[in-house]
Amino acid sequence: MDKIIRINMNDLSTSTETVPAAWAGLGGRGLTSTIVAAEVPPTCHALGPNNKLVFAPGLLTGTPAANSGRLSAGAKSPLTGTIKESNAGGTAAQMLARLDIKALIIEGIPKEDKWYSLHVSMEGVAIREETELVGKWNFAVIEAIEARLGKKTGILTIGPAGEMKMTAANISVKDPDSKIRSHGRGGLGAVMGSKKIKFISIDDQGAPKVPIADPEKFKTAARVFAKALMDHPVSGEGLPTYGTNVLVNILNEAGGLPTRNFTVGNFDGADKISGETMHDTIVARGGKPKHGCHAGCIIQCSQVYHDQQGKYVTSGFEYETIWGLGADCCIDNLDDIARADNLMDDIGIDSIETAVMFGVAMEAGILPWGDSKEMLRILTEEIGRGTPLGRILGGGAGSVGKTYGVTRVPVVKNQGIPAYDPRSVKGIGITYATSTMGADHTAGYTIATNILNVGGYVDPLKKDGQVELSRNLQIATAAVDSTGMCIFIAFPALDIPECLPALIDMINARFGINLTGDDVTNLGKHILKVEHQFNIEAGFSNIHDRLPEFFATETVAPHNAIWDFSAAEIDEFWNF
Amino acid sequence: MNITVKLFATFRNGRFKVARQEHPQGTSCRTIMLGLGLSEDEIGVVLVNGRHVPLDQVLHDGDTLALFPLVGGG
């Protein structure tokens, strides 16, 4: 039977509960946001005892459904002050699902100034004092836990950034190769640090298979779903070959690649950091162009990147990281960007927030434009060691902008704006402005329809249709984020008619229920409204659904585009 | 007229990254695409001077044409 496990760090106790009926149909983001909204006082301090950190696998996680192994983490965000859900691959989600754990809810803060670990197994959750790994960086933590508990152990860990409660700190998740995927956005690593939990280890030995109510129906739907993923050119060919970094060239050509802290829309060095160049470099050096973040991923958008000597540098090397440290910081050295990517995993800090932060830090004069060596030094010696400067930088783009008096600070609700200029790709600007998460491209990925001709086409340079596009995608994304599915299933789902019904059929077959397409849409709407209400009660209003002023006062080349939505036009978003 | 043609992702295989080509007045994106041995169902995105255009768009001297298969990420 599915269960909820509560871990009370106030008195170091745990308890197991049956799943309340109201939560039975929820998973992933739908469940973390529902729990946070129900149990966390919206005005609480995100790093105080009243915040809760919730982990939940998706509705389909642990089943043989392709690409269903994502884990959602939720809490009130110390970076944005809003509700937060951040999902990641890795091995933990499927292990928790096999252990019948619908959610882990971590509450309170320990009385004593000690660090702890949680060990999750068939026996429940054990809270143990931890001394050896305190202060250790993430790769060392993973190595030590594997030596202590076995190679198959699932791991969620925080690095020094999380221990120091930096608001850009992430939660790192061990992937199938003992490398790292991340609950990246919103500073959830700081929440875990505030609860003095250095790591969570998971042992699923003896756990049964995830039960499926109608195995035949499931198998049929799973086959249709997997075929749709393989048949679509984006999920079946583009992503496995070039990774997400294929986007550098197309955003650069379309004039939407934010460069030099969002002052222009093209980067001279784009070719050197592009997905095409990265693919050729990986192949030439004996790395892996294809790689999955979890067992059962058939898209394989990740990769393993080697240096000139053929030695491992990083994996899961994403477009947003490469864009941010590359174009936005004017760095065209892909090897150094790869080293920084690995360092950010090791320190446990969000690679999007940190990349946007470096663009602002360069504008502030903390380091020169394009100086990748100084960037690597700052990551290691300032942020990693928690010097006063490192803590300012580890607070993200808004933190460094405020400290240094920079006015061009690309954040919404204090979260860094990623990889797509909202002046020249206007739909994504609506998503940045209105997302319940702060600036988050994945919340309603209009790039698909604005730039990539997936799910139709809406002209990125015009205002027409953008609010509706963003709304529809945000609703659909909230639902998909509840299934445990990778968001890249949206590409085939937008274009191949059989894809979404097959996904719904799998959910129905898993639980023996009869959801319709409308039910799924209503679930997405419901989740957004629950999150929005939390934010309102936390003190946010429509006034916070705005982009920074400079987007409306500075045009961006090459199209001389400007952010020209009125307040009333943006506020239309919430009319559903 | 002089057209800069840029190819991306798999379109580069056995072709080129960027080329300056001479074409007669009135040439469309489609004509250039067909000349490269590409078919319409392989095409994801067509940009002329950084703007999305239909394949039948007629080009002008000095234009940059960028052709992409369907790609995505995020």
Side-chain angles (χ1 to χ4, degrees):
Chain A
M1 258 319 265
D2 277 350
K3 54 186 177 273
I4 305 277
I5 302 184
R6 288 183 191 270
I7 297 101
N8 184 337
M9 296 305 290
N10 288 327
D11 60 5
L12 305 179
S13 67
T14 68
S15 60
T16 300
E17 299 169 4
T18 54
V19 179
W23 296 356
L26 299 172
R29 174 175 169 185
L31 187 54
T32 63
S33 286
T34 297
I35 293 173
V36 172
E39 300 191 0
V40 174
T43 52
C44 76
H45 196 295
L47 301 177
N50 291 323
N51 201 4
K52 299 190 183 188
L53 178 61
V54 184
F55 292 99
L59 290 168
L60 288 169
T61 306
T63 72
N67 289 70
S68 62
R70 306 279 297 183
L71 182 65
S72 286
K76 175 172 173 168
S77 162
L79 182 76
T80 63
T82 65
I83 200 165
K84 175 60 62 178
E85 184 267 358
S86 172
N87 63 73
T91 64
Q94 289 162 331
M95 298 174 92
L96 291 174
R98 279 193 287 272
L99 289 163
D100 284 337
I101 295 171
K102 208 159 164 71
L104 290 175
I105 306 176
I106 304 171
E107 312 177 340
I109 283 180
K111 291 190 177 60
E112 288 188 77
D113 187 22
K114 291 178 176 173
W115 284 90
Y116 299 88
S117 74
L118 306 181
H119 184 69
V120 187
S121 71
M122 287 292 280
E123 317 298 318
V125 175
I127 305 174
R128 298 169 176 164
E129 191 185 337
E130 178 62 37
T131 51
E132 182 199 341
L133 297 179
V134 178
K136 293 279 190 296
W137 293 21
N138 281 321
F139 290 115
V141 172
I142 290 172
E143 200 182 328
I145 297 170
E146 287 188 346
R148 206 188 279 181
L149 300 171
K151 186 82 183 160
K152 287 183 179 166
T153 310
I155 300 168
L156 299 160
T157 165
I158 56 169
E163 285 188 39
M164 290 184 273
K165 296 185 276 190
M166 292 179 184
T167 51
N170 63 25
I171 298 173
S172 299
V173 190
K174 192 182 103 171
D175 82 0
D177 295 324
S178 302
K179 302 301 184 195
I180 286 173
R181 312 300 302 189
S182 311
H183 295 285
R185 307 230 65 192
L188 296 180
V191 178
M192 190 155 145
S194 76
K195 301 192 176 304
K196 308 290 276 184
I197 295 169
K198 175 63 180 174
F199 65 86
I200 301 170
S201 52
I202 308 167
D203 172 6
D204 69 348
Q205 277 183 73
K209 278 189 179 172
V210 169
I212 292 172
D214 186 341
E216 275 314 303
K217 183 178 170 183
F218 189 93
K219 203 183 282 179
T220 306
R223 209 173 287 141
V224 173
F225 183 74
K227 184 174 184 305
L229 265 52
M230 295 323 294
D231 283 351
H232 195 273
V234 172
S235 46
E237 186 176 12
L239 280 170
T241 309
Y242 302 104
T244 59
N245 198 33
V246 73
L247 293 173
V248 165
N249 274 331
I250 195 161
L251 266 302
N252 189 52
E253 288 301 318
L257 188 76
T259 299
R260 205 176 167 98
N261 192 28
F262 286 77
T263 51
V264 278
N266 314 106
F267 178 45
D268 289 343
D271 184 56
K272 288 188 183 170
I273 61 167
S274 69
E276 288 89 336
T277 300
M278 183 167 102
H279 172 266
D280 294 347
T281 305
I282 288 172
V283 171
R285 293 174 179 179
K288 288 186 199 165
K290 281 190 208 187
H291 182 254
C293 75
H294 65 275
C297 165
I298 59 173
I299 297 178
Q300 306 264 304
C301 75
S302 176
Q303 56 298 106
V304 178
Y305 188 94
H306 288 180
D307 65 14
Q308 278 173 313
Q309 284 71 46
K311 211 171 132 242
Y312 176 93
V313 181
T314 198
S315 56
F317 197 21
E318 299 265 0
Y319 165 63
E320 283 74 17
T321 309
I322 296 166
W323 153 76
L325 298 181
D328 202 44
C329 292
C330 303
I331 291 170
D332 63 7
N333 183 331
L334 194 57
D335 287 348
D336 280 349
I337 298 173
R339 289 182 189 104
D341 186 59
N342 188 252
L343 270 174
M344 289 186 284
D345 279 350
D346 209 4
I347 294 165
I349 198 159
D350 179 24
S351 66
I352 298 182
E353 191 62 44
T354 303
V356 177
M357 177 281 290
F358 270 118
V360 178
M362 286 177 180
E363 176 141 352
I366 296 170
L367 71 166
W369 291 105
D371 191 344
S372 57
K373 306 300 179 208
E374 177 62 3
M375 181 183 75
L376 292 167
R377 188 200 69 76
I378 286 175
L379 279 169
T380 312
E381 295 178 15
E382 307 284 353
I383 300 176
R385 291 184 189 157
T387 63
L389 174 63
R391 287 173 189 252
I392 290 165
L393 303 179
S399 165
V400 67
K402 188 174 270 188
T403 310
Y404 282 80
V406 178
T407 54
R408 193 181 296 106
V409 183
V411 297
V412 177
K413 301 181 179 79
N414 201 42
Q415 180 164 286
I417 293 181
Y420 314 88
D421 198 300
R423 290 163 290 193
S424 37
V425 194
K426 292 189 190 292
I428 202 71
I430 296 294
T431 297
Y432 294 152
T434 57
S435 166
T436 52
M437 302 288 151
D440 178 348
H441 63 293
T442 67
Y445 192 66
T446 73
I447 308 307
T449 311
N450 282 158
I451 297 289
L452 306 170
N453 282 350
V454 173
Y457 172 66
V458 173
D459 189 334
L461 293 161
K462 294 188 178 142
K463 294 201 285 184
D464 311 63
Q466 307 294 4
V467 172
E468 189 185 5
L469 175 66
S470 174
R471 186 195 294 130
N472 289 339
L473 288 170
Q474 290 198 51
I475 290 167
T477 302
V480 170
D481 283 346
S482 302
T483 62
M485 284 288 165
C486 160
I487 193 62
F488 294 156
I489 67 118
F491 292 112
L494 285 165
D495 280 342
I496 298 178
E498 299 81 29
C499 185
L500 205 52
L503 174 61
I504 297 169
D505 281 348
M506 288 193 291
I507 298 170
N508 287 336
R510 157 86 169 87
F511 296 100
I513 53 175
N514 287 297
L515 292 179
T516 63
D518 282 349
D519 292 331
V520 173
T521 304
N522 288 333
L523 173 67
K525 288 180 181 173
H526 173 75
I527 294 166
L528 290 185
K529 287 182 176 176
V530 165
E531 293 171 345
H532 190 223
Q533 187 59 34
F534 180 94
N535 292 349
I536 289 169
E537 290 172 26
F540 290 85
S541 72
N542 58 328
I543 301 302
H544 301 95
D545 288 355
R546 304 289 179 259
L547 297 190
E549 184 185 32
F550 77 88
F551 287 115
T553 57
E554 299 175 12
T555 58
V556 66
H559 301 304
N560 295 321
I562 193 110
W563 179 250
D564 49 1
F565 279 90
S566 70
E569 286 168 337
I570 298 170
D571 291 345
E572 271 300 303
F573 175 85
W574 285 105
N575 283 341
F576 64 88
Chain B
M1 60 181 181
N2 199 284
I3 304 294
T4 301
V5 180
K6 294 180 171 179
L7 301 178
F8 297 92
T10 46
F11 287 176
R12 289 180 178 176
N13 298 341
R15 297 192 187 88
F16 55 84
K17 219 150 110 171
V18 56
R20 289 174 75 92
Q21 300 182 341
E22 276 299 321
H23 290 280
Q25 291 292 332
T27 300
S28 71
C29 302
R30 183 184 300 276
T31 308
I32 293 179
M33 172 199 80
L34 292 171
L36 291 165
L38 292 166
S39 64
E40 184 168 357
D41 57 8
E42 293 174 84
I43 297 289
V45 173
V46 184
L47 298 177
V48 171
N49 305 329
R51 288 176 187 261
H52 291 71
V53 297
L55 261 179
D56 289 317
Q57 172 100 0
V58 172
L59 294 158
H60 298 97
D61 188 39
D63 279 351
T64 296
L65 167 67
L67 295 172
F68 298 81
L70 266 191
V71 293

